[in-house]
Amino acid sequence: MLAAGGVFGFAGVASAGTNGQQIEFYDQRGDVYSVYLYGTNQNGQTVAGCFNTPNTANYLSGWWWKGDVRITWYPQSGCGGTAIEPSPETFTIPVSQASDWYTIYDL
């Protein structure tokens, strides 16, 4: 689900789990209502987007990521409010794995 926020390019379609992963954001803190992702998609393009995360497990489908992806957590939908510490954090998303989903947990 794409919410307000800048988008540089778009994610496009990739073969399942062979050239990037979709991200599941898991809000174990219970106070993250949106996340801003910035990184590289399956085509090697720099992309960014803000995603609302109203649930504990949030599947950010339709966007494929690989390599270093920076995530910033926000206390309001639409990436509103002051970023929650200790974000932003950078995660390295594998090009391929058994699943289509790479899970990122907040701290």
Side-chain angles (χ1 to χ4, degrees), residues 10-62:
F10 59 91
V13 177
S15 298
T18 61
N19 192 27
Q21 308 301 312
Q22 296 181 90
I23 290 178
E24 173 197 12
F25 174 72
Y26 193 87
D27 180 17
Q28 57 191 7
R29 294 169 51 110
D31 62 353
V32 178
Y33 289 93
S34 61
V35 295
Y36 182 79
L37 296 171
Y38 176 88
T40 305
N41 72 5
Q42 77 280 3
N43 297 321
Q45 300 168 319
T46 299
V47 294
C50 177
F51 302 85
N52 287 333
T53 55
N55 304 308
T56 301
N58 300 274
Y59 292 88
L60 312 180
S61 63

